[in-house]
Amino acid sequence: DVKVTQSSRYLVKRTGEKVFLECVQDMDHENMFWYRQDPGLGLRLIYFSYDVKMKEKGDIPEGYSVSREKKERFSLILESASTNQTSMYLCASTRTGRNQPQHFGDGTRLSIL
Amino acid sequence: GQNIDQPTEMTATEGAIVQINCTYQTSGFNGLFWYQQHAGEAPTFLSYNVLDGLEEKGRFSSFLSRSKGYSYLLLKELQMKDSASYLCAVRDGIKAAGNKLTFGGGTRVLVKP
């Protein structure tokens, strides 16, 4: 079974802090994704990566950056956290191939005070 | 751009059938996925359609009509554990790199005894 592990289940940070969310997958997947999920808005893609050191903006990249130094790890960085970044953050990974589903981690509920 | 619509909420009785519709208008199309998400948990993959027609998997079936930009997920013999959100997601056909998906807002299904 694919395992996608997010470093924290719950996280509380203060406005202006630099925040790191980590995600690790154990199935050698090429592609990794970061989403946020908010009530009424569904899952929205922040950034994704299709290879080591490669990254592409999703639909809502403002205020975020990412890092993929190793194939198994994809980090989401909030450069200067703001209250409107309070959300559930979900990481996913998938093998390349059109019928390959994305596999999700359990999510990190991030609160910015 | 991508636009994916599904109803916000549906209620059904244990043992009954529920059909969750999903309509999409996308700049390209390379497959449609359905996911199930229980409250506080990660989305899990249910089904994939890329050709027109019905795909059956036990109590769950998914249908696709590409010409109409329409899909539905059919849940038969409803059980209490089927109470969850169901997410429709379309894979972009324009940019295949990364297996990028666009998600609808999700449909919350409540199964009553």
Side-chain angles (χ1 to χ4, degrees), chain B residues 36-52:
Chain B
Q36 180 191 59
Q37 186 179 24
H38 285 101
E41 296 183 14
T44 54
F45 168 69
L46 286 178
S47 69
Y48 169 75
N49 296 70
V50 68
L51 298 176
D52 290 352

Side-chain angles (χ1 to χ4, degrees), chain A residues 26-101:
Chain A
D26 66 357
M27 284 302 290
D28 203 37
H29 284 170
E30 299 86 3
N31 310 296
M32 296 187 75
F33 308 82
W34 275 106
Y35 296 90
R36 62 178 287 177
Q37 187 173 31
D38 301 287
L41 296 176
L43 277 162
R44 292 180 293 166
L45 182 64
I46 303 170
Y47 267 97
F48 69 102
S49 168
Y50 53 88
D51 202 350
V52 175
K53 296 195 188 294
M54 305 303 289
K55 60 186 179 186
E56 286 213 18
K57 293 179 180 179
D59 301 315
I60 51 163
E62 296 78 18
Y64 303 94
S65 62
V66 289
S67 172
R68 188 140 182 233
E69 295 298 315
K70 292 186 177 181
K71 193 174 186 179
E72 67 269 20
R73 186 180 297 270
F74 193 35
S75 304
L76 180 70
I77 304 149
L78 285 66
E79 298 290 345
S80 177
S82 63
T83 54
N84 64 9
Q85 292 178 309
T86 291
S87 186
M88 171 67 87
Y89 289 87
L90 287 161
C91 174
S93 74
T94 184
R95 198 174 303 285
T96 296
R98 68 176 185 174
N99 65 340
Q100 297 297 312

Side-chain angles (χ1 to χ4, degrees), chain B residues 47-101:
Chain B
S47 69
Y48 169 75
N49 296 70
V50 68
L51 298 176
D52 290 352
L54 190 68
E55 294 280 341
E56 296 188 80
K57 254 188 195 180
R59 293 189 299 114
F60 293 0
S61 305
S62 57
F63 171 83
L64 176 68
S65 169
R66 287 172 298 171
S67 61
K68 294 181 179 174
Y70 168 69
S71 173
Y72 67 72
L73 179 70
L74 196 69
L75 284 60
K76 293 180 272 192
E77 299 167 22
L78 278 172
Q79 301 175 10
M80 299 299 291
K81 67 178 182 179
D82 297 330
S83 291
S85 288
Y86 293 84
L87 315 179
C88 172
V90 172
R91 181 156 180 246
D92 192 334
I94 298 298
K95 195 166 188 176
N99 277 36
K100 180 172 168 284
L101 296 179

Side-chain angles (χ1 to χ4, degrees), chain A residues 101-113:
Chain A
Q102 292 187 10
H103 300 269
F104 286 84
D106 287 334
T108 296
R109 188 164 290 284
L110 176 65
S111 296
I112 306 297
L113 304 178

